[in-house]
């Protein structure tokens, strides 16, 4: 994130707790969005954010951008060596919202590791769950206030920025996700299902879940 005249919000992708050995995220390659110039983002995956270690299945990724006029435009995910690339050339300045979803379907944690499919395919599974990845980036220039609106994703963080204070609401199917685990990068203090970050002060290296 940057402050002052240039600001871009990076909201990490979310995954079920059972998959927290790896993370998936959506990250811009530049904090500055300029009309008429390509703006690139990466869907990364691995342990070492922001350096992606491997690609996710691009065929299951659905990606969009919402421009300042409210138009929702589909993006074409492109597989790279270690990440999935999204690219968009904005026609005007103003807030752009980039987001993706990846529905991996039912997954099971078996004695042999996490496998695709539910208990019907893996009756010896310890747990079974539906795996969904989502990621959102709010990109703007000259913004110091933001009232984020839910995008209707299965799982999402909704931001609100006021006087340097950034608050994020975690929603699951449009409702507050009470009790969900939230991990931030860099680490910040967390409160319930809200994340509150003061952009006017340095972030202390602390995590509270």
């Amino acid at each position: 994130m940057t402050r002052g005249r240039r600001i871009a919000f990076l909201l990490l992708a979310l995954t079920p707790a059972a998959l927290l050995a790896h993370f998936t995220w959506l990250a811009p390659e530049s904090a500055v969005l300029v009309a008429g110039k390509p703006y690139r983002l990466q869907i990364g995956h691995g342990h070492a954010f922001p350096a992606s270690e491997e690609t996710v299945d691009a065929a299951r990724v659905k990606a969009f951008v919402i421009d300042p006029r409210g138009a929702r435009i589909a993006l074409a995910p492109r597989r790279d060596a270690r990440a999935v690339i999204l690219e968009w050339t904005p026609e005007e300045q103003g807030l752009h919202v980039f987001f993706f979803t990846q529905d991996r379907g039912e997954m099971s944690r078996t004695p042999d590791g996490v496998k695709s499919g539910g208990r019907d395919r893996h009756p010896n599974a310890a747990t079974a769950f539906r795996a969904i990845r989502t990621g959102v980036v709010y990109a703007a220039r000259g913004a110091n206030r933001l009232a984020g609106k839910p995008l209707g994703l299965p799982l999402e963080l909704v931001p609100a920025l006021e006087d340097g204070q950034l608050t994020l609401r975690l929603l699951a199917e449009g409702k507050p996700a009470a009790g969900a685990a939230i991990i931030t990068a860099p680490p910040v203090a967390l409160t319930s299902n809200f994340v509150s970050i003061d952009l006017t002060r340095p972030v202390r290296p602390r995590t509270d879940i």
Side-chain angles (χ1 to χ4, degrees), residues 12-25 45 102 104 130-134 155 181:
L12 300 187
L14 304 172
T15 57
L19 297 182
L20 288 180
H22 289 75
F23 296 92
T24 306
W25 58 83
H45 183 73
Q102 184 196 34
R104 302 181 68 197
R130 181 185 175 195
I132 299 175
R133 293 167 171 157
T134 67
L155 193 63

Side-chain angles (χ1 to χ4, degrees), residues 1-9 28 30-39 66-68 90 92-98 137-146 161:
M1 299 180 185
T2 61
R3 295 189 293 272
R5 295 181 59 191
R6 302 175 181 178
I7 188 164
F9 297 108
S30 170
V32 182
L33 184 146
V34 180
K37 294 186 178 181
Y39 189 75
I66 299 178
D67 69 14
E92 57 187 310
Q93 297 295 119
L95 178 66
H96 289 71
V97 183
F98 298 86
V137 165
Y138 290 76
R141 187 170 186 175
N144 54 19
R145 299 182 65 183
L146 173 67
L161 176 65

Side-chain angles (χ1 to χ4, degrees), residues 46-198:
H47 298 84
F49 171 84
S52 182
E53 298 173 322
E54 57 184 335
T55 61
V56 300
D57 184 359
R60 293 191 177 189
V61 170
K62 296 181 179 179
F64 301 86
V65 57
I66 299 178
D67 69 14
R69 302 182 185 185
R72 180 176 296 203
I73 303 152
L75 301 177
R78 175 172 58 83
R79 183 185 177 95
D80 205 349
R82 294 181 179 271
V84 172
I85 304 298
L86 305 178
E87 187 170 302
W88 171 251
T89 300
E91 296 180 354
E92 57 187 310
Q93 297 295 119
L95 178 66
H96 289 71
V97 183
F98 298 86
F99 63 96
F100 84 92
T101 62
Q102 184 196 34
D103 190 344
R104 302 181 68 197
E106 290 187 328
M107 308 284 288
S108 296
R109 183 171 291 280
T110 74
D112 298 321
V114 177
K115 303 290 184 180
S116 178
R119 289 186 184 275
D120 57 331
R121 293 176 55 185
H122 308 285
N124 64 338
T127 57
F129 50 89
R130 181 185 175 195
I132 299 175
R133 293 167 171 157
T134 67
V136 185
V137 165
Y138 290 76
R141 187 170 186 175
N144 54 19
R145 299 182 65 183
L146 173 67
K149 297 180 180 180
L151 300 171
L153 305 182
L155 193 63
E156 63 180 305
L157 286 167
V158 181
L161 176 65
E162 182 72 29
D163 296 329
Q165 191 75 23
L166 176 64
T167 301
L168 307 175
R169 290 185 296 142
L170 177 60
L171 303 179
E173 303 294 347
K175 299 179 180 180
I182 302 173
I183 297 176
T184 66
V188 296
L190 309 180
T191 304
S192 184
N193 64 311
F194 288 83
V195 182
S196 184
I197 305 172
D198 188 347

